[in-house]
């Protein structure tokens, strides 16, 4: 009889120990998940802060280019060409894997969009110069 009681007590103790270990493992896993999410948020915040500062600087340089050929009264001054600012991510640090894919694609697409805009500006500027010079027939 004592052996049977001892057997059932050992079985119950073993079940209780397994339950505690499973609960502890689940809590450890939950804690690791929270730590990983916090690290990911911090990394995204760090990269976003760097990008905002870099893009503000780039936007200010673009606005300087936009007003470089205009006088104080809004008249366009011929022959002034300011250099276009270049967008570079060389100064940004951090783990770029933290940035979502769709956003990373948009960020990496910006230099291509800038190059396209610059080509369009050059094209329009050439056409304006042709119109000012009288080489384009405006009736056609």
């Amino acid at each position: 009889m004592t052996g049977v009681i001892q057997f059932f007590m050992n079985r119950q103790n073993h079940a209780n120990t397994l339950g505690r270990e499973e609960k502890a493992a689940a809590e450890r896993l939950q804690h690791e998940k929270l730590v990983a999410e916090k690290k990911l948020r911090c990394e995204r915040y760090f990269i976003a802060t760097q990008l905002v500062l870099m893009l503000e600087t780039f936007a200010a340089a673009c606005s300087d280019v936009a007003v470089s050929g205009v006088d104080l009264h809004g008249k366009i001054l011929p022959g002034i060409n300011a250099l276009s600012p270049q967008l570079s991510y060389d100064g940004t640090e951090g783990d770029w894997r933290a940035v979502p894919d769709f956003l990373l694609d948009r960020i990496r697409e910006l230099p291509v969009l800038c190059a396209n805009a610059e080509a369009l500006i050059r094209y329009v500027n050439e056409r304006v110069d042709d119109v000012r010079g009288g080489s384009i027939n405006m009736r056609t």
Side-chain angles (χ1 to χ4, degrees):
M1 180 71 95
T2 306
V4 172
I5 292 172
Q6 189 69 30
F7 172 76
F8 284 113
M9 285 180 61
N10 284 341
R11 192 171 130 192
Q12 186 61 37
N13 286 339
H14 183 67
N16 289 343
T17 302
L18 283 177
R20 281 193 305 268
E21 287 177 358
E22 288 174 357
K23 184 178 178 183
E27 287 175 357
R28 229 181 359 262
L29 185 63
Q30 182 68 19
H31 177 70
E32 289 173 1
K33 185 178 177 182
L34 290 174
V35 168
E37 287 175 2
K38 182 178 179 182
K39 182 180 177 184
L40 184 65
R41 280 194 312 268
C42 289
E43 193 67 32
R44 285 179 178 170
Y45 184 77
F46 179 72
I47 290 173
T49 303
Q50 290 182 355
L51 284 174
V52 165
L53 294 174
M54 180 198 61
L55 290 173
E56 283 180 350
T57 304
F58 179 73
C62 287
S63 68
D64 290 343
V65 170
V67 297
S68 67
V70 180
D71 68 5
L72 294 176
H73 304 290
K75 291 185 179 181
I76 297 176
L77 302 174
I80 295 180
N81 290 323
L83 295 176
S84 298
Q86 299 301 314
L87 184 59
S88 173
Y89 301 108
D90 292 340
T92 55
E93 298 174 0
D95 187 2
W96 282 89
R97 293 175 294 183
V99 179
D101 292 340
F102 73 93
L103 189 55
L104 187 61
D105 289 342
R106 296 292 305 230
I107 291 169
R108 294 295 184 179
E109 179 184 39
L110 284 174
V112 175
L113 294 174
C114 290
N116 289 344
E118 194 169 319
L120 180 62
I121 290 168
R122 276 195 309 272
Y123 174 78
V124 169
N125 195 22
E126 289 171 3
R127 297 296 172 231
V128 168
D129 288 343
D130 289 345
V131 169
R132 284 184 187 153
S135 64
I136 293 181
N137 186 354
M138 297 301 287
R139 294 185 186 198
T140 59

